[in-house]
Amino acid sequence: MSNRTFTMIKPDATSKGYTGGILDQIVQAGFTIRAMKWTRLTAEQAGRFYAVHSERPFYGELVNFMSSGPIVAAILEKDNAVADFRQLIGATNPAQAAEGTIRKKYAASVGENAVHGSDSDENAAIEGSFFFSGLEIF
Ligand code: ATP
Ligand code: MG
């Protein structure tokens, strides 16, 4: 089991001023920030990041949305990080997300759902290296 996961605060949440509230909830839940940056994905980069979904009907919409404004990318550390972070963010569709989760509080829809969380240790490592070099992780 790895103790790291990767997250993004998505363009819907950064544009609505939710960045501080989301980061506070992440830190209060016991995650330590190991790397972080404010940046914006090109459509090509968003397409590569979510390439696993390229056959899904919502792929074009997802790529447009994820490149529509700034995001915050971060590597987080905690025991059982991947599973605990998925629990903290809640279900993909905020209508089904548990009370108190980040998506329940901050997400508007299944497409614009405020945060990303890695779904496995392997993907957490791949996604972290997509954004950060070893020199940027502390
Ligand atoms: P993420 O990978 O962003 O953490 P997730 O793992 O909960 O989300 P995935 O199934 O990996 O959900 O879908 C990736 C992203 O694609 C979702 O977070 C959402 O932004 C978008 N998405 C998923 N399903 C739909 C849908 N039915 N309609 C529109 N967008 C969707
Ligand atoms: Mg996913």
Side-chain angles (χ1 to χ4, degrees):
M1 189 204 309
S2 146
N3 57 359
R4 288 191 180 183
T5 190
F6 171 81
T7 188
M8 285 185 284
I9 301 175
K10 298 185 179 184
D12 58 319
T14 61
S15 72
K16 290 173 184 163
Y18 296 156
T19 302
I22 291 172
L23 288 174
D24 187 52
Q25 187 165 349
I26 290 170
V27 171
Q28 293 300 327
F31 291 87
T32 301
I33 295 165
R34 292 294 176 208
M36 186 161 70
K37 66 175 69 165
W38 173 271
T39 186
R40 181 170 177 168
L41 292 168
T42 64
E44 187 276 330
Q45 290 166 331
R48 260 194 296 130
F49 186 88
Y50 279 114
V52 62
H53 295 308
S54 60
E55 301 306 318
R56 309 281 286 277
F58 57 80
Y59 180 66
E61 187 188 323
L62 176 61
V63 168
N64 281 338
F65 165 59
M66 287 303 299
S67 56
S68 68
I71 58 136
V72 174
I75 294 172
L76 304 173
E77 189 168 286
K78 182 183 183 295
D79 289 347
N80 200 33
V82 167
D84 284 6
F85 192 73
R86 296 288 299 198
Q87 184 146 13
L88 180 68
I89 68 179
T92 307
N93 185 343
Q96 283 144 25
E99 213 52 57
T101 59
I102 291 175
R103 281 171 169 163
K104 182 71 176 186
K105 281 200 225 172
Y106 296 109
S109 67
V110 64
E112 305 204 354
N113 59 4
V115 281
H116 165 83
S118 303
D119 59 12
S120 65
D121 290 350
E122 186 192 6
N123 284 335
I126 293 168
E127 292 169 1
S129 338
F130 187 94
F131 282 90
F132 300 102
S133 80
L135 294 172
E136 297 173 303
I137 302 169
F138 305 99

